[in-house]
Amino acid sequence: MSIIQLDHIDVDFPQKKGKVVKAVQDVTLHVEQGDIYGVVGFSGAGKSTLVRTINLLQHPSAGDIQVNGVDFVKDGKQVISNKKLQLERRKIGMIFQGFNLLNETTVLENVAFALKHSKLSDEELEKRSLELLDLVDLKDKANFYPIELSGGQQQRVAIARALANHPDILISDEATSALDPQNTQQILDLLKRLNKELGLTVVLITHEMDAVKKICNKVAVMEHGKMIENGNLREIFLHPKKELTKRFVGGSLEAIQTLDSLNLGKLSENEEVYQLVYSIANVTKSIIIELYRQIGVEVSMLYGNVELLNGEAIGTLVVLVKGDSEKQKQAREFLEKQNVTLTRLDEKGDLND
């Protein structure tokens, strides 16, 4: 069941002289309970604008929005009362690139601030705040001030605060963009742990595909306000269709650039170039050695790469195979049986669909 349903969402920003900037155009996004769903795109792609429609921090110009089974918007019009919306928003935590902490109050007080409208006693409020800090491994920093913490620690305080009202959904809007690689990894590890331990659904907005690769199970790619690809991360990674997606996943476009740099020129009649993408866990023998041994073709490796995809090692190989048309056919048939995704590349290095 979808915990978030965005259907045919438009977001228009009127400008002077009757002009309109279409920040989001006809985007449909469904997020299932328990997903870590990455929304990736370069600056200005519309990803943050889109995701902020989930809790109506940004109102859409058109489309339908349903969250936790509750209709928020129908045909671009808000159908939920403002009072009900305030209650539903408590089920949606949100963290940002700027940590938005209160610098003049302690870490404990920052977390407790999110519970100011609750009916908890002072003692219960402190207990709950300490539990949240313990959840993000910062209980020992309760009486510190934000300025005394590292960037990663400040972001963990922001996460603890976002979890104060037991949300079902956590939206991370470029929350790791201002952090160094070590702190970024710690925050991503924390989000993944919270997803598993609390059953928290996470929507991760980012321009960094590496973050998506490490923790997401699904991904949507946005460009110029439109969603150009979305679905299972593994499928998108192994079979990217759009040029931007290839840039984000790294393998295909990098391979093409490598081929271009080699200046191979036009291939001879008996030469073909193939890209192989595969899960290393599913390949127990050397594909190249077996290809030579069983088919008798000459194989040259032009490019190789290994990336971790949500913990799974995915390999990419680009190979030049020499042999007559019958040998090439046998080579393709062999490769297609080896648990690999096989793509033939033409002499210019462009992917053939």
Side-chain angles (χ1 to χ4, degrees):
M1 177 181 175
S2 296
I3 191 171
I4 299 169
Q5 295 186 78
L6 306 179
D7 292 297
H8 304 291
I9 299 298
D10 288 351
V11 178
D12 297 340
F13 293 125
Q15 305 294 305
K16 294 179 180 179
K17 299 181 180 181
K19 293 183 178 179
V20 174
V21 173
K22 294 187 173 295
V24 176
Q25 301 178 57
D26 193 28
V27 172
T28 294
L29 178 70
H30 290 185
V31 180
E32 304 294 320
Q33 171 69 44
D35 278 343
I36 305 182
Y37 210 122
V39 181
V40 66
F42 291 124
S43 179
K47 56 190 184 297
S48 290
T49 302
L50 171 71
V51 172
R52 288 177 186 223
T53 66
I54 293 172
N55 53 8
L56 293 191
L57 290 181
Q58 174 63 57
H59 284 255
S61 306
D64 301 338
I65 298 172
Q66 186 182 95
V67 181
N68 268 323
V70 178
D71 289 325
F72 283 16
V73 172
K74 283 286 188 182
D75 297 323
K77 304 295 183 182
Q78 182 175 325
V79 295
I80 187 174
S81 69
N82 287 332
K83 184 177 181 180
K84 174 69 171 172
L85 177 60
Q86 291 301 319
L87 293 174
E88 291 300 320
R89 277 177 171 168
R90 294 180 188 177
K91 301 176 185 177
I92 307 170
M94 201 161 187
I95 55 175
F96 306 89
Q97 178 178 345
F99 316 123
N100 294 348
L101 300 180
L102 303 170
N103 290 324
E104 68 277 8
T105 61
T106 66
V107 165
L108 183 66
E109 290 167 338
N110 265 276
V111 176
F113 182 77
L115 295 165
K116 64 179 182 178
H117 296 301
S118 72
K119 297 180 180 179
L120 298 176
S121 67
D122 289 345
E123 183 178 337
E124 291 170 330
L125 192 64
E126 181 176 348
K127 181 182 178 182
R128 172 63 179 157
S129 299
L130 287 171
E131 288 174 349
L132 289 163
L133 287 173
D134 192 33
L135 187 63
V136 299
D137 299 321
L138 282 179
K139 189 175 181 179
D140 60 329
K141 305 292 185 183
N143 294 318
F144 282 56
Y145 286 84
I147 198 172
E148 299 177 277
L149 305 182
S150 69
Q153 289 172 328
Q154 290 185 57
Q155 192 59 278
R156 280 192 274 160
V157 175
I159 292 172
R161 185 180 58 189
L163 298 176
N165 290 295
H166 302 281
D168 303 307
I169 299 163
L170 180 64
I171 298 172
S172 170
D173 189 357
E174 297 281 9
T176 61
S177 296
L179 303 178
D180 61 40
Q182 181 178 356
N183 279 312
T184 293
Q185 185 61 57
Q186 289 174 355
I187 295 299
L188 293 175
D189 289 343
L190 175 59
L191 292 177
K192 190 167 186 177
R193 176 164 65 84
L194 294 173
N195 167 259
K196 289 183 177 181
E197 293 182 1
L198 304 181
L200 193 65
T201 300
V202 179
V203 180
L204 183 73
I205 309 165
T206 182
H207 63 274
E208 300 168 339
M209 192 63 181
D210 279 345
V212 173
K213 291 175 186 176
K214 287 172 181 173
I215 68 169
C216 295
N217 65 311
K218 295 177 184 175
V219 62
V221 183
M222 291 194 66
E223 184 178 30
H224 304 314
K226 297 179 180 179
M227 184 182 297
I228 60 172
E229 288 193 67
N230 74 299
N232 178 275
L233 176 66
R234 192 175 190 273
E235 180 65 23
I236 294 294
F237 187 89
L238 292 177
H239 307 287
K241 296 180 176 63
K242 302 294 184 180
E243 223 31 58
L244 178 65
T245 312
K246 294 169 189 174
R247 292 177 67 184
F248 274 124
V249 301
S252 297
L253 189 67
E254 191 176 340
I256 291 169
Q257 292 171 338
T258 301
L259 286 176
D260 289 343
S261 71
L262 292 174
N263 193 25
L264 294 175
K266 188 174 178 63
L267 299 176
S268 72
E269 184 178 349
N270 291 333
E271 294 178 330
E272 298 291 351
V273 176
Y274 301 100
Q275 176 180 273
L276 318 176
V277 182
Y278 53 94
S279 170
I280 290 178
N282 293 337
V283 176
T284 57
K285 295 181 180 180
S286 170
I287 298 173
I288 304 305
I289 292 175
E290 289 300 312
L291 183 61
Y292 170 76
R293 181 181 297 165
Q294 295 192 33
I295 310 300
V297 291
E298 183 180 338
V299 184
S300 300
M301 291 179 55
L302 304 180
Y303 169 86
N305 186 38
V306 176
E307 294 196 79
L308 285 177
L309 192 67
N310 202 0
E312 180 184 7
I314 301 292
T316 300
L317 277 178
V318 175
V319 296
L320 174 68
V321 178
K322 296 182 180 180
D324 59 29
S325 59
E326 180 59 30
K327 291 290 186 181
Q328 293 287 353
K329 179 182 177 183
Q330 292 177 21
R332 287 193 295 272
E333 290 174 348
F334 169 81
L335 291 170
E336 286 169 352
K337 295 177 181 179
Q338 303 305 309
N339 292 318
V340 304
T341 299
L342 177 67
T343 305
R344 179 177 168 182
L345 306 179
D346 69 16
E347 66 273 12
K348 295 180 181 178
D350 297 323
L351 288 173
N352 285 331
D353 293 330

